[in-house]
Amino acid sequence: DEFDNIDLRQYCHYPETLPTIEKLLEVCAELSDEAKELIADYMRNISESDEDVSEEENELLLKVKESFGLTAA
């Protein structure tokens, strides 16, 4: 399947339709450490894409890394 920009935009306009971070972390709990690192790195790159990582973004990234059992580096 190809990435659908319009579908993503719809989710962004209606964030209440997205799963909670807790639910996502629950689903990801059984992933390999390599997959968890990939997800955390991907999230970090997204947060840095505007060259301004907010406090909320940092808190979310820390929560994800802690949940994944990754170091907070």
Side-chain angles (χ1 to χ4, degrees):
D1 291 315
E2 290 189 28
F3 182 76
D4 188 339
N5 290 335
I6 294 174
D7 195 34
L8 175 64
R9 201 171 300 129
Q10 283 298 104
Y11 279 114
C12 292
H13 286 298
Y14 302 100
E16 66 278 0
T17 63
L18 296 172
T20 64
I21 189 64
E22 290 77 16
K23 181 63 178 171
L24 289 173
L25 292 174
E26 180 183 321
V27 170
C28 293
E30 299 301 318
L31 295 176
S32 69
D33 288 344
E34 183 179 347
K36 291 175 182 178
E37 284 278 0
L38 182 67
I39 291 168
D41 289 345
Y42 190 78
M43 291 178 68
R44 169 60 67 186
N45 286 331
I46 291 171
S47 71
E48 293 174 345
S49 66
D50 63 356
E51 299 179 8
D52 181 32
V53 180
S54 71
E55 184 65 30
E56 292 85 3
E57 289 172 318
N58 271 324
E59 289 173 7
L60 179 61
L61 291 166
L62 181 59
K63 182 176 187 170
V64 168
K65 290 191 105 175
E66 286 176 349
S67 175
F68 285 174
L70 304 173
T71 59

